[in-house]
Amino acid sequence: MGCGASTMEMDERYYEQKRINDAIEKSLKSHQKVERSQLKMILLGAGESGKSTVLKQLRLLHKDGFQYQERLQYAQIIWVDAVQSMKLLMIHARRLHIPLKCDEPDSPFSQAKKLILRYRCLDVGTIGDESFLKDYVMKYSDGGESRRKRMGTGQADALWDRNLEQSERLLGDSAETELENQELEELKESRPTGDFAARKQQRQQLANAIQLLWAHDPGIQQCYNRAHEFQLEASTRYYFENIQKFADPDYICSDTDILKGRIKTTGITETDFNIGSTRLKVLDAGGQRSERRKWIHCFEDITAVVFVLAVSEFNQTLFEDERVNRVHEAILLFESLCNSRWFVDTPFILFLNKIDLLEEKLQQTNFKEYFPDYPGDVHNVDSVVTYLERTFLSVNRTSKPVYVHRTCATDTQSMEFVLNATTDILLQNHLKKSGLI
Ligand SMILES: Nc1nc2c(ncn2[C@@H]2O[C@H](COP(=O)(O)OP(=O)(O)OP(=O)(O)O)[C@@H](O)[C@H]2O)c(=O)[nH]1
Ligand SMILES: [Mg+2]
């Protein structure tokens, strides 16, 4: 009778089905676990390479963009950076023996020069909390300049950890600090009651002066073309070309302005994103030398490293050490990170950033002067970038993949594509590691 055989068959089929169901359930559970688990991506690279700008693009793409307060703060920062940049161009023109039209007496140009040089950058009306104001004073007070450089090397930081007062005496900084403290107090006091109409008028005159010198003093343009010989903000041209809107004390920054604006990162910031069902934490680390000692504290459990290189900076030196070429420094930094024990099998994504500025620069600069073994056409952007890409990939002594993207971090449209590709890589690698694909 077939009854016994059919029971056995049914048992077998039942157990087979159960095995399959169990396997599917297990796979589903681990899939859910992976989806719920948080991926961690860290942005690394030298100072000013564009890490925070990449983070800003991620915020535009996957979060609610920028807050009102932030837009006000950037308006203030950009205005002051614009005036400061024009001052720097005048000062360095003199050092580089570039004749300036504004040095000729009794002309509208010399009036404009006086107005700009006399302007106290610590303008009333600054918005922000205590720590923002302190950074602001540090950045723009006359005494802050030398101290900022020393802090960039980490020298001042180390001493400050031990004893602030003693270190200031050692560094001969007490006068500078006193000046900064005084300026901070003045700034706080003047905040609510500044004469708004007078300030608005003063800013308008300054904006006109900057516009005049930028457009009609050939010496200023000549000096700007030699800006790689000193330290000038990367977005200076943008600030000058839009100076009238930044002069308005009521101006609220657009997304593009914020992408162009610069606030140096100190420490490491963490931002959480939800991308589909995946949670992604992005760490943005300050890139100047003094900041790098903090990096190691967050190297654990990193899903991927995004290393940002500013390819346009091949003829510039570090802010914190003007004897060191920025791209040479970045190669050494990339080599040590890529081969570090922390990231043995952590995928790296290399952003060859500031491609737009490289294009501009190669029209008038000989790349071979800075990289003598470069074999290609010195004005060919593609060839130069390929050379830099090969140089970076050649220092990877591990078997892990290094994915490469050419980027312009300030361009939202192209960054959307790059960032989607980047998060895909992250997810794929994570699934692979978890044995799910
Ligand atoms: N034109 C252009 N400017 C860029 C690009 N990427 C960044 N910048 C500008 O470069 C400046 C520095 O960028 P940040 O993102 O602050 O640099 P960072 O790497 O975070 O610098 P640290 O915080 O000091 O480590 C900003 O003014 C940006 O607007 C780019 O691809 N093209
Ligand atoms: Mg930054």
Side-chain angles (χ1 to χ4, degrees), residues 1-10:
M1 296 195 280
C3 193
S6 106
T7 309
M8 261 177 67
E9 267 175 32
M10 276 171 65

Side-chain angles (χ1 to χ4, degrees), residues 48-53 259-260 262 265 287 353-354 356 408-409:
E48 278 178 79
S49 54
K51 300 175 293 298
S52 302
T53 315
L259 290 165
K260 291 283 189 182
R262 153 134 174 101
T265 308
N353 192 37
K354 301 199 180 180
D356 58 323
C408 170

Side-chain angles (χ1 to χ4, degrees), residues 31-287:
H31 252 292
Q32 280 167 353
K33 215 165 133 192
V34 168
E35 283 186 347
R36 264 186 269 117
S37 71
Q38 198 174 44
L39 310 191
K40 248 202 236 175
M41 179 173 101
I42 188 163
L43 292 156
L44 297 176
E48 278 178 79
S49 54
K51 300 175 293 298
S52 302
T53 315
V54 171
L55 177 68
K56 287 176 192 172
Q57 294 284 12
L58 273 167
R59 288 176 58 194
L60 284 173
L61 198 60
H62 295 294
K63 262 185 136 56
D64 43 3
F66 309 116
Q67 305 305 310
Y68 180 74
Q69 183 74 1
E70 215 172 346
R71 291 180 191 276
L72 289 176
Q73 286 189 354
Y74 267 96
Q76 190 70 27
I77 289 283
I78 292 175
W79 165 250
V80 179
D81 273 347
V83 183
Q84 193 70 7
S85 299
M86 187 50 85
K87 274 189 192 177
L88 282 174
L89 286 174
M90 289 192 269
I91 291 164
H92 286 284
R94 185 157 299 170
R95 185 178 64 81
L96 297 167
H97 306 293
I98 298 171
L100 290 176
K101 208 165 171 172
C102 62
D103 277 339
E104 294 162 11
D106 302 326
S107 68
F109 290 88
S110 72
Q111 297 288 331
K113 179 182 86 174
K114 277 185 205 140
L115 205 62
I116 294 164
L117 288 178
R118 273 194 212 130
Y119 183 60
R120 271 187 84 221
C121 275
L122 294 173
D123 190 342
V124 288
T126 302
I127 299 132
D129 58 16
E130 180 92 0
S131 82
F132 171 75
L133 283 177
K134 270 191 179 151
D135 282 355
Y136 183 83
V137 170
M138 177 81 166
K139 186 166 181 186
Y140 299 111
S141 75
D142 297 333
E145 167 78 16
S146 58
R147 194 135 70 90
R148 244 170 38 236
K149 290 216 166 181
R150 279 200 298 276
M151 285 184 77
T153 63
Q155 190 188 348
D157 248 11
L159 290 166
W160 281 11
D161 288 347
R162 272 182 256 141
N163 183 321
L164 181 70
E165 265 180 44
Q166 188 199 6
S167 75
E168 282 175 352
R169 238 180 291 122
L170 273 174
L171 294 166
D173 267 352
S174 25
E176 286 171 5
T177 315
E178 241 167 59
L179 185 67
E180 281 170 35
N181 285 342
Q182 192 187 324
E183 282 172 335
L184 180 64
E185 287 313 312
E186 279 175 23
L187 191 65
K188 279 197 275 186
E189 274 169 27
S190 62
R191 267 209 290 180
T193 54
D195 180 347
F196 187 77
R199 191 154 64 93
K200 197 166 174 158
Q201 198 190 1
Q202 187 195 26
R203 278 183 167 221
Q204 186 58 60
Q205 286 169 345
L206 267 153
N208 294 342
I210 290 173
Q211 212 170 12
L212 179 75
L213 298 191
W214 178 242
H216 300 291
D217 190 332
I220 291 292
Q221 286 286 338
Q222 219 178 313
C223 188
Y224 176 79
N225 289 335
R226 291 178 63 178
H228 59 280
E229 295 178 42
F230 49 98
Q231 306 293 335
L232 192 73
E233 295 288 337
S235 300
T236 298
R237 178 190 292 282
Y238 180 81
Y239 301 160
F240 290 164
E241 286 175 354
N242 294 279
I243 195 68
Q244 293 294 345
K245 68 176 188 186
F246 293 125
D248 181 352
D250 284 332
Y251 183 66
I252 309 291
C253 275
S254 66
D255 290 348
T256 309
D257 300 333
I258 293 190
L259 290 165
K260 291 283 189 182
R262 153 134 174 101
I263 297 178
K264 182 189 98 156
T265 308
T266 46
I268 293 158
T269 71
E270 293 190 4
T271 316
D272 291 314
F273 296 92
N274 287 314
I275 299 173
S277 54
T278 310
R279 290 188 309 141
L280 172 68
K281 188 184 276 301
V282 178
L283 309 177
D284 175 23

